[in-house]
Amino acid sequence: MMDPLERKLLLEGTVIPAHPLALTEQRMLDEQSQRALTRYYMDAGAGGIAVGVHTTQFEIRDPEFKLFEKVLTLAMEEVEKARLKRPFIKVAGICGPTDQAVKEAEFAKSIGYSMGLLNMGNLDHYSEEELLARAKAVADLIPVFGFYLQPSVGGRVLSYRFWSEFSNIQNVHAIKIAPFDRYKTLDVVRAVCQSPRRDDIALYTGNDDSIIHDLLSIYKVHIDGKWVEKRIAGGLLGHWAVWTKRAVDLFEELKKARMEPSIPGQWLMKANEVTDANSVLFDAKNHFKGCIAGINEVLARQGLLQGNWCLKPEEQLSPGQNEEIDRIYQEYPHMNDDEFIKENIERWRKHSS
């Protein structure tokens, strides 16, 4: 069972950054910076964090690193020390074959995580029926946050029927839609709308190429002779791992805007700015090869990380990506939260040491 206040926040919609991994130049865990990052997200006003996900680097599970349990524990320790007087959703990334996914879910639940973000990627040998059985096994242990990951970074195409059956699993409370594809996004929305559990499942965007568009949209689906409306409530995004304070501010403005009878045209401009910035951070022109390094580079410039290093040395900024980050800093100065970080970073590091 989810905490009722966390569940209410999840359904209303909030900002959930995907938590990066802080490393030293020797590619060892930088524990102080890792803890400081968690403090940053809480103080920036995020409604939760997702740890052990793509942005945290899936390789934390590899035997040569063995960082999965350590990284999840560090984040939980910081959340507990903060003693927040508001709901805060702790999402643990869950990957791998059924046995591995069950073990990860058991561990995440045991240390206090609210939900498990269930990755369906890198399981091409599983049928959709086997994926559903896996989801049910995990849902028996922890509330599930479904995840439609784009194929270019390890996801797979899943059918409308899959999402229809997935939506009927009792302990599924949210789905992150991140196929970077409008047709596939509609598959998930329609599948959830046809489920008798439609009001129990929050939809979250992970479509980094259309973040604002997703959050402003109302989907209207014809089900059993009547129209059902559904919104994408919030976002669980690697993009929101940087400039998080500004993302929270923008999301609060956006929530007010979507209560109005019409959406002002300025939101289309903001949507394009966010997409342009994301294309740089996520290295879209190079098929997302530099996406994690791009996020880390911004955090390093702000002083939150020592550098943009990833566990795999080949994961690094693509040629020209650094200069493109310079460009978006110059063109969209209102999107960064450098001053907020400058004012607080010493306190975060002090608390984290």
Side-chain angles (χ1 to χ4, degrees), residues 43-307:
D43 283 3
I49 48 172
V51 189
V53 295
H54 178 241
T55 305
T56 325
Q57 302 178 47
F58 291 139
E59 291 78 17
I60 59 173
R61 297 164 172 81
D62 292 354
E64 62 187 295
F65 302 118
K66 292 184 179 178
L67 288 173
F68 177 77
E69 294 187 358
K70 178 69 172 178
V71 170
L72 263 66
T73 300
L74 291 177
M76 275 303 305
E77 287 177 354
E78 291 306 309
V79 172
E80 289 168 356
K81 283 195 294 185
R83 297 182 180 178
L84 295 173
K85 296 180 180 179
R86 60 184 176 91
F88 193 75
I89 304 165
K90 290 80 66 182
V91 182
I94 295 175
C95 297
T98 303
D99 289 349
Q100 176 185 335
V102 164
K103 287 178 183 177
E104 291 186 3
E106 287 174 339
F107 175 75
K109 183 68 175 177
S110 73
I111 63 170
Y113 275 80
S114 318
M115 306 183 74
L117 183 72
L118 186 59
N119 183 7
M120 316 292 179
N122 295 315
L123 293 169
D124 291 342
H125 57 294
Y126 272 47
S127 67
E128 289 193 347
E129 287 72 21
E130 288 171 322
L131 285 177
L132 288 166
R134 171 178 174 267
K136 290 172 184 175
V138 171
D140 285 342
L141 300 167
I142 192 170
V144 167
F145 207 127
F147 185 14
Y148 198 171
L149 177 65
Q150 60 160 320
S152 62
V153 290
R156 63 183 279 183
V157 174
L158 295 162
S159 70
Y160 171 84
R161 187 185 70 81
F162 171 86
W163 291 112
S164 294
E165 296 192 24
F166 186 88
S167 301
N168 290 329
I169 298 172
Q170 285 302 307
N171 210 19
V172 169
H173 293 274
I175 298 174
K176 172 179 173 173
I177 309 174
F180 288 29
D181 184 302
R182 305 318 300 164
Y183 304 120
K184 295 180 179 64
T185 294
L186 283 167
D187 277 348
V188 179
V189 175
R190 287 180 55 247
V192 171
C193 285
Q194 64 77 42
S195 171
R197 299 190 63 252
R198 67 178 73 95
D199 295 331
D200 299 324
I201 298 175
L203 297 179
Y204 272 61
T205 184
N207 287 322
D208 293 86
D209 58 348
S210 55
I211 295 169
I212 302 299
H213 293 96
D214 273 358
L215 293 171
L216 288 174
S217 296
I218 299 176
Y219 295 87
K220 197 172 181 180
V221 183
H222 200 250
I223 305 291
D224 296 330
K226 64 179 181 180
W227 291 100
V228 173
E229 291 188 358
K230 188 77 174 171
R231 281 193 181 276
I232 294 181
L236 195 164
L237 293 154
H239 180 88
W240 283 348
V242 298
W243 302 345
T244 310
K245 180 67 169 66
R246 290 286 177 257
V248 170
D249 294 343
L250 186 68
F251 185 71
E252 291 304 315
E253 291 177 34
L254 187 149
K255 284 199 297 185
K256 293 176 184 176
R258 64 188 185 185
M259 297 298 291
E260 300 297 326
S262 60
I263 303 296
Q266 64 176 336
W267 282 101
L268 295 176
M269 179 184 69
K270 291 180 180 181
N272 291 332
E273 290 179 351
V274 170
T275 300
D276 184 26
N278 182 270
S279 73
V280 171
L281 297 175
F282 272 53
D283 193 27
K285 68 171 63 176
N286 293 295
H287 305 288
F288 309 101
K289 290 179 182 177
C291 60
I292 295 176
I295 292 167
N296 290 355
E297 172 62 24
V298 173
L299 294 170
R301 292 185 184 200
Q302 295 175 311
L304 283 163
L305 297 184
Q306 293 187 43

